[in-house]
Amino acid sequence: MLHNKHMKKYIIAIDQGTTSTRAILINQAGEMIYKAQRELPCEYPKPGWVEVNPDKIWISVIDVINELMVVANTTLDEVAAYGITNQRETTIVWDKKTGQAVYNGIVWQSKQTQSLCDEKEEYTDLIKSKTGLRMNPYFSASKIRFILDNIPDGQARAERGELSFGTVDSWIIYKMTRGKMHATDVSNASRTMLYNIFDMDWDDELLKIWNIPSVMLPEVLENTGDFGEASFFAGGAHIHGVAGDQQAALFGQCCFNKGDSKNTYGTGCFMLMNVGDKPFVSKEGLLTTVAWKEGGKTTYALEGSVFIGGAVVQWLRDEMRLVHDAAETETCANKVPDTAGVYLVPAFVGLGTPYWDDEARGAVFGLTRGADRHHFVRAALCSIAYQSKDLIEAMKREAKLELMSLRVDGGASANAMLMQFQSDILGCEVHLPQFLETTALGAGYFAGLGCGFWKDKSEILANHKIAKKYYPTMPKEQVDELYDGWLAAVNATRAFKVKR
């Protein structure tokens, strides 16, 4: 627990993402006081491969913490604890003696282990029954296998206990504690395809499938556990909160109750629904994942992803040249009352949850001579809301829960036209928080609970502020008609296959 509480004014939340690293200073009122950010380059050694230099991740963490102290004009003595949230599934293997990575980190987006997953296809159902995940190169297991196969003497070194595996949180914890802690939290562990979410432990059968020695694996702690003193930095503060980015955002949005849901509108959309303390394997193409564990109690979530969310806005701007910037899409869309019957299905890289159709490609339906640029832009924005509804309908069916409200964050949540349409098409309230950095906020909340900076979740809830609420205004008949049109457009899109 926290000592000298009154001397400690802040929590530092580290948000290590795919393209940047941020550090944020959070005060007792749950307000973000200062922020520092560094861009992080990815490497693309071959088509479909995405890697990152682990040293550059660590250097970016050092940089943002140092900058934060300078801009805030404070010292690390005033920091109560650190929270860490991270890009999930990205895989790093390092040498225990030297502390150096033995291969680049393989990023979650990378497809370089697709063939390894194809070889293990017979285990698809078994893996899903234990982990709640689909067999996919997205997750960490095949990435570890790839690294061991592609470094000299990899398997033997791993079996001799010379190598450690970690997701990005583990790598940062290891570095911040000067090698004293090799640990992860339950949410990151649940994304490796090696962790049994029903037993809440590493699974020997899964390790055997991938031939991964258990000696490589980090210790798994609760999200509010003590991950060790961050002795690399002065001040003596411990790391007291760790979570994968989407679970951290769910917590940062205060989705503490069963049925509470959040949608992050980024390049894609990540939707999570709190489903309480009893996990189940999805039959609707959703992933089951550990949301968090605190006070000995595990909370689970259903997760789904839309591949093309905000990316459709980038496409309108960069490829189609229909707008000059993202903000212009709202002005443009508001010039017309509807899409004039136009539907845009942005299946540029296939369709995500609940379809999981890799072969589908983008399509436009309902074009007439009267359709113009404004209708097209509005249809693109509506496609983000429709895809999110597809996900939520699947979640509602599976969890047998009604959606009372949806909490939103991410870049496109600033678009009022999109958020109002999202509220209309879902028939529920949409809540936009005052602080959009919900991922970092979630890591900060975990850290603050872990060290006693906040006494419990009710104190956090009291701090949580909503900037804007959207209420559904569209008649149900109109909603049903519009959504039926969308489903017809999706079916037609999926029916069109290009011969390769």
Side-chain angles (χ1 to χ4, degrees):
M1 294 299 281
L2 187 60
H3 302 290
N4 302 324
K5 182 174 176 178
H6 297 294
M7 288 172 59
K8 308 290 187 183
K9 297 181 183 175
Y10 306 113
I11 299 286
I12 288 180
I14 299 160
D15 181 355
Q16 203 300 300
T18 313
T19 56
S20 70
T21 301
R22 281 172 285 197
I24 291 163
L25 205 61
I26 303 167
N27 70 8
Q28 193 90 40
E31 296 165 335
M32 299 200 172
I33 306 301
Y34 290 100
K35 178 170 82 173
Q37 182 166 339
R38 285 287 178 284
E39 296 302 310
L40 187 74
C42 285
E43 299 175 17
Y44 308 93
K46 293 183 184 178
W49 291 32
V50 189
E51 296 182 355
V52 64
N53 183 326
D55 287 338
K56 288 184 178 174
I57 291 177
W58 173 229
I59 290 164
S60 71
V61 170
I62 298 168
D63 281 354
V64 290
I65 289 177
N66 285 336
E67 183 184 326
L68 201 59
M69 292 299 96
V70 173
V71 295
N73 191 27
T74 186
T75 71
L76 290 166
D77 291 327
E78 293 192 310
V79 174
Y82 295 90
I84 297 170
T85 182
N86 56 289
Q87 51 172 308
R88 302 175 304 171
E89 298 97 17
T90 295
T91 298
I92 301 171
V93 175
W94 63 91
D95 185 300
K96 281 185 186 172
K97 266 208 186 99
T98 66
Q100 290 294 303
V102 296
Y103 192 90
N104 264 350
I106 301 180
V107 175
W108 58 276
Q109 297 161 313
S110 188
K111 299 289 188 193
Q112 70 205 74
T113 61
Q114 183 67 60
S115 60
L116 290 171
C117 291
D118 293 343
E119 287 168 16
K120 307 283 187 192
E121 207 169 327
E122 65 191 282
Y123 299 110
T124 297
D125 292 340
L126 175 72
I127 284 169
K128 191 169 187 187
S129 72
K130 287 170 176 273
T131 67
L133 306 175
R134 300 169 66 84
M135 167 71 85
N136 200 286
Y138 187 68
F139 305 109
S140 309
S142 62
K143 299 180 194 298
I144 304 171
R145 185 65 264 150
F146 181 93
I147 292 172
L148 295 183
D149 289 344
N150 284 274
I151 60 169
D153 210 20
Q155 185 66 26
R157 288 169 70 189
E159 286 173 4
R160 288 197 297 266
E162 295 171 13
L163 302 179
S164 293
F165 149 72
T167 40
V168 171
D169 58 305
S170 297
W171 173 244
I172 296 172
I173 291 163
Y174 179 81
K175 290 295 192 182
M176 286 177 72
T177 62
R178 294 184 183 272
K180 293 249 176 21
M181 288 293 283
H182 180 211
T184 189
D185 79 283
V186 291
S187 69
N188 275 297
S190 77
R191 309 295 294 187
T192 59
M193 225 157 62
L194 300 170
Y195 190 78
N196 190 314
I197 64 169
F198 300 91
D199 299 342
M200 293 298 285
D201 205 354
W202 297 117
D203 191 285
D204 290 336
E205 195 174 2
L206 297 176
L207 289 169
K208 194 174 174 188
I209 288 169
W210 296 100
N211 194 17
I212 293 170
S214 60
V215 71
M216 293 182 74
L217 303 175
E219 180 187 0
V220 184
L221 304 180
E222 293 191 6
N223 298 83
T224 52
D226 187 347
F227 292 82
E229 183 188 340
S231 56
F232 185 89
F233 301 100
H238 284 228
I239 303 162
H240 263 296
V242 177
D245 53 9
Q246 299 308 318
Q247 287 96 331
L250 190 71
F251 202 80
Q253 286 272 31
C254 295
C255 294
F256 301 149
N257 300 313
K258 197 171 170 180
D260 287 352
S261 305
K262 73 93 197 170
N263 196 12
T264 298
Y265 297 82
T267 303
C269 295
F270 284 95
M271 176 91 67
L272 268 76
M273 176 187 273
N274 180 332
V275 293
D277 58 2
K278 292 190 173 53
F280 52 87
V281 173
S282 169
K283 296 181 178 67
E284 296 265 4
L286 299 159
L287 304 177
T288 310
T289 196
V290 177
W292 53 76
K293 184 178 182 183
E294 41 126 17
K297 187 183 169 197
T298 304
T299 298
Y300 295 88
L302 278 178
E303 177 174 331
S305 48
V306 170
F307 292 156
I308 301 293
V312 77
V313 173
Q314 295 169 332
W315 176 72
L316 290 175
R317 181 193 66 198
D318 299 339
E319 277 75 32
M320 301 304 287
R321 308 279 176 90
L322 292 178
V323 291
H324 292 103
D325 56 46
E328 194 190 333
T329 57
E330 186 176 349
T331 315
C332 191
N334 280 329
K335 292 266 171 64
V336 287
D338 53 43
T339 67
V342 175
Y343 286 92
L344 168 62
V345 184
F348 304 148
V349 289
L351 287 167
T353 321
Y355 306 107
W356 294 104
D357 187 341
D358 290 334
E359 298 300 309
R361 288 298 174 262
V364 182
F365 299 94
L367 286 174
T368 59
R369 183 66 183 79
D372 65 15
R373 176 172 79 102
H374 306 103
H375 297 112
F376 200 89
V377 169
R378 191 176 181 97
L381 291 177
C382 290
S383 76
I384 302 173
Y386 285 131
Q387 290 177 96
S388 298
K389 182 175 171 73
D390 288 342
L391 261 180
I392 285 175
E393 291 302 320
M395 285 182 175
K396 281 161 60 176
R397 284 193 298 272
E398 200 132 58
K400 298 177 175 58
L401 294 167
E402 272 308 308
L403 191 71
M404 303 312 291
S405 68
L406 178 69
R407 292 126 198 246
V408 298
D409 53 62
S413 66
N415 189 310
M417 178 261 138
L418 171 58
M419 291 301 102
Q420 182 57 54
F421 186 71
Q422 187 72 86
S423 175
D424 286 336
I425 208 76
L426 290 176
C428 77
E429 292 180 18
V430 167
H431 295 179
L432 182 72
Q434 190 168 326
F435 299 110
L436 288 176
E437 299 276 3
T438 53
T439 305
L441 204 52
Y445 286 162
F446 280 128
L449 287 171
C451 74
F453 194 70
W454 295 295
K455 68 176 189 296
D456 56 29
K457 291 203 288 278
S458 65
E459 205 173 328
I460 287 170
L461 206 51
N463 286 337
H464 190 65
K465 296 178 181 69
I466 303 295
K468 190 166 184 183
K469 289 185 181 180
Y470 295 89
Y471 299 92
T473 56
M474 192 181 284
K476 187 178 183 303
E477 302 75 35
Q478 190 181 351
V479 170
D480 291 345
E481 188 182 334
L482 287 172
Y483 190 54
D484 285 347
W486 165 257
L487 294 175
V490 169
N491 288 334
T493 300
R494 298 181 71 193
F496 177 79
K497 302 291 182 202
V498 178
K499 288 185 180 175
R500 298 187 188 284

